[in-house]
Amino acid sequence: MNESLTLDGLSAPLRALRRLAVDFGHLPAPMVDVTTVYPDRLKLAFHYDLADFETWREALDIAPDAVAHATQGPGGGTRVLSASVEYAGAVLELVAYADITDPAPSGAAG
């Protein structure tokens, strides 16, 4: 943790979040993460539903081939999708988690 960082030091991800709320307020709500560990990053996470990730990926014009695919958990039972893009002066990271048995939406199959 950066002990000397002020709230102003998080202005890039907070500005990006504000812009997302204005431009994409109609999209599914993600879990939002802003942290002093990565003060230039805004993370949007989606749990249980890859379709919400896909909706945001398309809205942000992230190419399907820019999405990283992985598995985690015991026996690889959780699918993980991730992608990042520069947005409003911050690194915007999208991450989604879903059970492997969930069907992947088009464009997100791995």
Side-chain angles (χ1 to χ4, degrees):
M1 185 163 94
N2 186 339
E3 297 291 331
S4 63
L5 189 69
T6 63
L7 187 58
D8 190 49
L10 297 173
S11 63
L14 293 174
R15 182 175 38 254
L17 181 60
R18 180 178 175 198
R19 185 168 162 196
L20 288 171
V22 170
D23 293 346
F24 302 109
H26 61 284
L27 295 182
M31 182 191 82
V32 176
D33 183 17
V34 176
T35 176
T36 58
V37 176
Y38 302 104
D40 65 336
R41 184 186 78 183
L42 173 63
K43 182 177 178 181
L44 305 180
F46 304 90
H47 297 266
Y48 315 113
D49 192 351
L50 299 179
D52 291 346
F53 173 94
E54 189 66 7
T55 299
W56 276 93
R57 183 200 61 77
E58 289 176 357
L60 293 167
D61 201 27
I62 299 172
D65 62 352
V67 176
H69 306 268
T71 59
Q72 70 180 29
T78 302
R79 179 187 309 262
V80 181
L81 303 179
S82 62
S84 63
V85 65
E86 293 287 326
Y87 183 83
V91 176
L92 177 58
E93 181 182 355
L94 298 179
V95 181
Y97 308 92
D99 290 340
I100 263 317
T101 57
D102 288 351
S106 73

